[in-house]
Structures are given as C-alpha cells and as structure tokens.
Amino acid sequence: PIYKDIIMTTTPELIHSYLSAGLECTHLEVDGDGQHFQALIVSPAFAGKRLVERHLMVKSALKPQFDDGTLHALSIESAKTPEELAK
C-alpha cells in the first residue's frame, strides 16, 4: 500500500488525549521527545488501588496505541488520587 511509508508521529498532546479519553483524570501532564514519554496522572479511579494496579489501568487506557505500535513506551512518573496529590 502507498501508506507504508507514512510514519505516525506520536506527541505528548496525542498521548494526553488518549489518556483523557480512556481514564478519568483530574490532572494530567504528558511530556516527551517523540520517542520517550513521561506522564503525571491524577485520577479518582486510582482510589484503593496499589501502584501496579494503577499502572495497569494507565497501560489499559493506551492499549490500542501500544497494540498498533503508535506508542512503544510510557514512563509513569506519578499515578495518584486527588487526595494524595493534595497532601
């Protein structure tokens, strides 16, 4: 196909939109250079969840992008509840 040479460019803004569509976030910051991305995520959905469960929730929200190769890796700098952030 003629599309095989088109490279999808992933940006922090795109990852932000994917995350906000797939996970309720009260605060969300995504930074990156096009290859490596970091995120700070605050969500009430994290309440009562262990850190590994929170990370799995984030990865699940981005599953389509991981599956199709649009996104290769995301460093989750912080995954907190709004109450944890307020402390």
Side-chain angles (χ1 to χ4, degrees), residues 8 10 13-14 16 19 23 27 40 47 53 56-57 61-63 72-73 76 79-80 82 86-87:
M8 277 293 292
T10 301
E13 295 80 17
L14 276 174
H16 188 287
L19 279 171
L23 184 65
H27 183 82
L40 180 143
E53 293 171 307
L56 289 172
M57 291 171 70
L62 296 170
K63 186 176 181 346
H72 300 285
I76 303 168
K80 299 182 180 230
K87 289 182 181 178

Side-chain angles (χ1 to χ4, degrees), residues 21-39:
L23 184 65
E24 179 188 358
C25 300
T26 57
H27 183 82
L28 178 58
E29 294 178 25
V30 180
D31 191 23
D33 62 8
Q35 293 286 325
H36 305 95
F37 298 94
Q38 308 81 38

